[in-house]
Amino acid sequence: MRETDAVGMLKNLKLRHRAYVCAYNSFRFAARLRGDLSEFAPSIAETLESVGDELAALARDSCPNENERRQLIEGLEGALRALGLSDAAQVHIVAQLAPRIMAGEPASASKEAWTRIAV
């Protein structure tokens, strides 16, 4: 019993860390590009969309249950805190991305995205 608890705890830590790294690096990279006024700099909305897609795909592929998907949300929250975002901004971003993560459905996998691409 203890061995399975330890394995579960390690998996939760790994999931939180993967979500943290994904979100932190994406936001920092996009901010750096915007700061350099790069023509390739994604908007904040595009960055949110991208992070949401990555975390939702990770949830779909690696997290068969709700508890594991919540670990991804905790990792996202940790990254937002580390970036120094206000509490209001953190709550807004998490509220926007959490349903997609819990559903494990990246926006790019939805029918609407495919119709936009096709048109």
Side-chain angles (χ1 to χ4, degrees):
M1 186 71 160
R2 286 185 180 178
E3 189 173 316
T4 58
D5 289 342
V7 170
M9 196 166 65
L10 287 174
K11 183 171 184 178
N12 288 344
L13 280 171
K14 182 179 176 183
L15 289 170
R16 274 196 307 268
H17 179 70
R18 285 180 70 186
Y20 176 95
V21 169
C22 167
Y24 185 83
N25 289 341
S26 294
F27 284 112
R28 291 275 300 174
F29 181 70
R32 188 174 313 132
L33 286 176
R34 282 191 297 277
D36 293 341
L37 300 176
S38 170
E39 64 184 279
F40 302 107
S43 68
I44 294 171
E46 290 170 328
T47 305
L48 286 174
E49 186 74 20
S50 173
V51 169
D53 279 350
E54 286 187 57
L55 294 178
L58 182 59
R60 178 194 63 213
D61 298 339
S62 301
C63 304
N65 64 52
E66 185 176 310
N67 180 49
E68 291 175 354
R69 291 177 183 204
R70 288 189 193 285
Q71 300 305 312
L72 297 178
I73 294 170
E74 286 185 28
L76 170 64
E77 291 170 340
L80 297 175
R81 278 191 304 276
L83 290 165
L85 297 179
S86 70
D87 289 344
Q90 291 177 41
V91 168
H92 177 73
I93 291 169
V94 170
Q96 191 174 1
L97 300 182
R100 289 175 50 197
I101 295 168
M102 291 304 289
E105 294 178 1
S108 61
S110 69
K111 281 198 294 189
E112 296 83 20
W114 284 108
T115 24
R116 278 193 307 241
I117 292 170
V119 174

